[in-house]
Amino acid sequence: EPEVTQTPSHQVTQMGQEVILRCVPISNHLYFYWYRQILGQKVEFLVSFYNNEISEKSEIFDDQFSVERPDGSNFTLKIRSTKLEDSAMYFCASSGRGGYTFGSGTRLTVV
Amino acid sequence: AQKVTQAQTEISVVEKEDVTLDCVYETRDTTYYLFWYKQPPSGELVFLIRRNSFDEQNEISGRYSWNFQKSTSSFNFTITASQVVDSAVYFCALRGGSGGSNYKLTFGKGTLLTVNP
């Protein structure tokens, strides 16, 4: 069964550093997403991406965040200057006719 | 605006008991999709079911069953004869179907299910 692949599974970074989270969506899906889950809380939508541009973003997705599809397979989330409160699980997802699939997540810890 | 409410924060049962997890949703869309996901301690989101708003038939998959009632805007999930491996956080989610590119999921806060031996 097709999967959404996220790397790395865990990342520890120092406050103020830039971090890039990577995702490979399912190949025939056209819509891509990032979600965030702070420990013990619900999963929150960050951004959706379609046709090489952001289609919707939440109030969480401020100027510190950016997304990119640098080639035909990868979809990345960049946090420019990480803060302690960015510590969370970040999920990538993609959707198409076949469904809505999440990756296994990247646990980001900012110290 | 879309909203999903899972009023049960935590449920604890003994193995082999049946348990129902409640989900109530709000949406103005006439077409929408409802999902349930399981999140085990390892953290990934495991897809359980997707149901569209035009299909109100209840569904059964092994020990799992889902009761969709548009009249009460509810999409409840029942585990029959629960097992320890069912222990996890369960999330209900809603996706609008109004077209365009807005396909984000709105999640409830989740219900932590603990099944004790």
Side-chain angles (χ1 to χ4, degrees):
Chain A
E1 190 169 326
E3 289 183 345
V4 173
T5 305
Q6 287 188 245
T7 54
S9 55
H10 293 85
Q11 176 136 11
V12 181
T13 189
Q14 293 219 328
M15 193 168 54
Q17 294 295 305
E18 176 183 284
V19 66
I20 297 176
L21 308 183
R22 303 180 191 280
C23 170
V24 178
I26 292 174
S27 59
N28 62 353
H29 283 180
L30 300 178
Y31 300 92
F32 315 118
Y33 315 83
W34 284 99
Y35 289 80
R36 180 183 82 174
Q37 184 184 30
I38 294 172
L39 185 64
Q41 298 187 21
K42 69 176 180 179
V43 180
E44 299 174 290
F45 169 77
L46 289 178
V47 65
S48 58
F49 193 86
Y50 170 73
N51 201 25
N52 283 318
E53 61 183 20
I54 291 174
S55 51
E56 185 177 0
K57 58 184 181 180
S58 72
E59 62 274 9
I60 303 169
F61 194 88
D62 61 22
D63 292 343
Q64 292 298 312
F65 291 91
S66 62
V67 290
E68 193 177 30
R69 188 153 164 84
D71 52 44
S73 59
N74 291 284
F75 179 51
T76 61
L77 174 69
K78 182 193 291 186
I79 309 175
R80 288 192 183 81
S81 177
T82 50
K83 306 181 202 124
L84 294 176
E85 53 265 36
D86 293 327
S87 295
M89 179 78 99
Y90 288 82
F91 291 102
C92 175
S94 67
S95 69
R97 288 190 179 275
Y100 205 114
T101 306
F102 282 85
S104 54
T106 293
R107 189 172 297 281
L108 176 66
T109 303
V110 182
V111 297
Chain B
Q2 303 190 97
K3 186 177 177 182
V4 176
T5 302
Q6 294 180 256
Q8 304 149 309
T9 307
E10 294 186 38
I11 299 176
S12 182
V13 299
V14 176
E15 209 169 15
K16 297 184 185 173
E17 281 186 33
D18 298 347
V19 59
T20 295
L21 309 181
D22 297 334
C23 173
V24 173
Y25 61 91
E26 294 175 32
T27 180
R28 291 182 187 156
D29 290 344
T30 53
T31 302
Y32 50 89
Y33 297 84
L34 295 160
F35 299 76
W36 276 94
Y37 288 88
K38 174 182 180 180
Q39 187 175 46
S42 50
E44 73 271 24
L45 289 169
V46 178
F47 169 81
L48 296 178
I49 190 171
R50 180 181 82 165
R51 175 53 52 87
N52 75 53
S53 52
F54 294 111
D55 182 2
E56 286 195 72
Q57 280 195 340
N58 290 332
E59 181 155 340
I60 298 174
S61 175
R63 296 184 297 107
Y64 295 169
S65 62
W66 290 268
N67 183 359
F68 176 31
Q69 294 201 344
K70 283 179 80 169
S71 59
T72 55
S73 297
S74 65
F75 187 44
N76 296 337
F77 171 35
T78 297
I79 303 174
T80 303
S82 59
Q83 299 176 1
V84 173
V85 293
D86 295 327
S87 297
V89 179
Y90 290 85
F91 289 99
C92 180
L94 168 68
R95 195 210 93 179
S98 53
S101 54
N102 178 13
Y103 291 151
K104 69 178 182 185
L105 293 189
T106 300
F107 283 80
K109 291 185 177 181
T111 297
L112 172 62
L113 174 65
T114 303
V115 182
N116 299 297

